[in-house]
Amino acid sequence: MTELYVANTDCLKNKELFDACYAMLPSFRKEKVDRLQSIEKKVLSMGAFLLLVDALRKRGISPEEIEFSYNANGKPTLTHFPNVHFSVSHSGNTVFCAVSDAAVGCDVERIRRIDLNIISRFFSPREQAQIEAQPTQADKEKMFFRLWTLKESFIKMTGQTLSQLKDFSVIIQEDGTRLDPNKNFYLQEFSLGDNYCYACCSEVPDISPPVTINLEDIKRP
């Protein structure tokens, strides 16, 4: 089973709440937050970790037990819980998290104006055709980010790098989304009624809809 969680980070811009949550962070996460220059990036980094902590707590893993190991491409895993897989993403003021019994990747992107001339750098000819077939600039931009999140969720699940984005295609059809060449993985995208695209890729078919978490409610156990 793959469980998804999403949270808005705006509340963490409140200094009192930010300081309280910062005090809850383990030293390695404090160091990461401290290295970031802008308050927006600090808030996103903190929010992503708080959301992961809450998701793992639901799996019976306490914050004190969280320790990361990394593969050659930087993909993190839980050192002491190799059978629990996770992925975290953030964009704009939103953080997104997946926790699963099998390999998993997730991605969120805020839909925004982009220069569509860049699509050939990241997308296969078949994906470019899907984007160009959209009737308006706004529709093209939305399709860009739908494809991007789906592709990056696969990349994050497999632990590959962005340089491999053009090695495969994501085909969006009315009867479902699939990978070409065909791979035995499950892709799912979600629309939550906001200006974001959400996607998850997992080795297991049971992918739950995202549950919204209020970061103000996350307290030290």
Side-chain angles (χ1 to χ4, degrees), residues 4 13 17 29 40 67 93 131 134 156 177 195:
L4 303 176
K13 294 178 181 178
L17 181 61
R29 196 66 184 196
E40 289 78 12
E67 181 180 322
N93 63 357
I131 295 172
Q134 304 307 305
K156 292 171 75 172
T177 300
N195 200 40

Side-chain angles (χ1 to χ4, degrees), residues 123 126-127 130-131 134 142-151 169-180 187-189 197 199:
F123 296 105
R126 190 166 184 178
E127 291 166 334
Q130 290 184 87
I131 295 172
Q134 304 307 305
K142 184 174 182 179
M143 179 59 73
F144 175 98
F145 286 109
R146 287 179 67 189
L147 287 168
W148 180 274
T149 54
L150 286 161
K151 286 172 75 72
S169 296
V170 169
I171 310 302
I172 298 177
Q173 298 176 310
E174 289 186 6
D175 60 350
T177 300
R178 63 184 177 84
L179 292 164
D180 183 29
L187 280 171
Q188 183 71 48
E189 59 178 336
C197 290

Side-chain angles (χ1 to χ4, degrees), residues 32-79:
K32 181 172 183 177
V33 172
D34 291 342
R35 287 195 300 269
L36 299 171
Q37 297 299 313
S38 69
I39 185 62
E40 289 78 12
K41 290 182 179 179
K42 291 177 183 288
V43 159
L44 277 177
S45 179
M46 178 184 292
F49 186 76
L50 291 175
L51 187 63
L52 176 61
V53 165
D54 195 58
L56 293 176
R57 185 186 287 120
K58 291 174 171 51
R59 290 261 176 155
I61 299 173
S62 70
E64 292 76 18
E65 295 176 295
I66 297 175
E67 181 180 322
F68 299 133
S69 300
Y70 300 87
N71 74 2
N73 292 325
K75 177 180 172 63
T77 58
L78 291 169
T79 303

Side-chain angles (χ1 to χ4, degrees), residues 9-181:
T9 61
D10 284 344
C11 63
L12 295 177
K13 294 178 181 178
N14 176 282
K15 187 177 186 307
E16 183 178 354
L17 181 61
F18 181 94
D19 291 344
C21 290
Y22 180 86
M24 294 167 53
L25 298 178
S27 59
F28 69 87
R29 196 66 184 196
K30 286 180 180 177
E31 292 172 1
K32 181 172 183 177
V33 172
D34 291 342
R35 287 195 300 269
L36 299 171
Q37 297 299 313
S38 69
I39 185 62
E40 289 78 12
K41 290 182 179 179
K42 291 177 183 288
V43 159
L44 277 177
S45 179
M46 178 184 292
F49 186 76
L50 291 175
L51 187 63
L52 176 61
V53 165
D54 195 58
L56 293 176
R57 185 186 287 120
K58 291 174 171 51
R59 290 261 176 155
I61 299 173
S62 70
E64 292 76 18
E65 295 176 295
I66 297 175
E67 181 180 322
F68 299 133
S69 300
Y70 300 87
N71 74 2
N73 292 325
K75 177 180 172 63
T77 58
L78 291 169
T79 303
H80 305 302
F81 300 91
N83 295 323
V84 178
H85 304 260
F86 73 93
S87 180
V88 178
S89 179
H90 54 68
S91 178
N93 63 357
T94 298
V95 289
F96 189 41
C97 175
V99 178
S100 181
D101 302 318
V104 68
C106 72
D107 192 53
V108 58
E109 290 291 341
R110 180 174 61 86
I111 302 171
R112 55 195 183 274
R113 293 300 303 268
I114 55 167
D115 180 0
L116 289 172
N117 290 322
I118 68 172
I119 63 175
S120 61
R121 291 171 51 193
F122 304 108
F123 296 105
S124 69
R126 190 166 184 178
E127 291 166 334
Q128 293 176 50
Q130 290 184 87
I131 295 172
E132 295 295 353
Q134 304 307 305
T136 69
Q137 172 77 12
D139 291 328
K140 287 179 171 66
E141 289 165 349
K142 184 174 182 179
M143 179 59 73
F144 175 98
F145 286 109
R146 287 179 67 189
L147 287 168
W148 180 274
T149 54
L150 286 161
K151 286 172 75 72
E152 187 157 350
S153 69
F154 171 74
I155 287 288
K156 292 171 75 172
M157 184 199 73
T158 55
Q160 297 175 311
T161 65
L162 292 180
S163 65
Q164 295 164 292
L165 279 174
K166 291 184 70 173
D167 292 350
F168 64 95
S169 296
V170 169
I171 310 302
I172 298 177
Q173 298 176 310
E174 289 186 6
D175 60 350
T177 300
R178 63 184 177 84
L179 292 164
D180 183 29

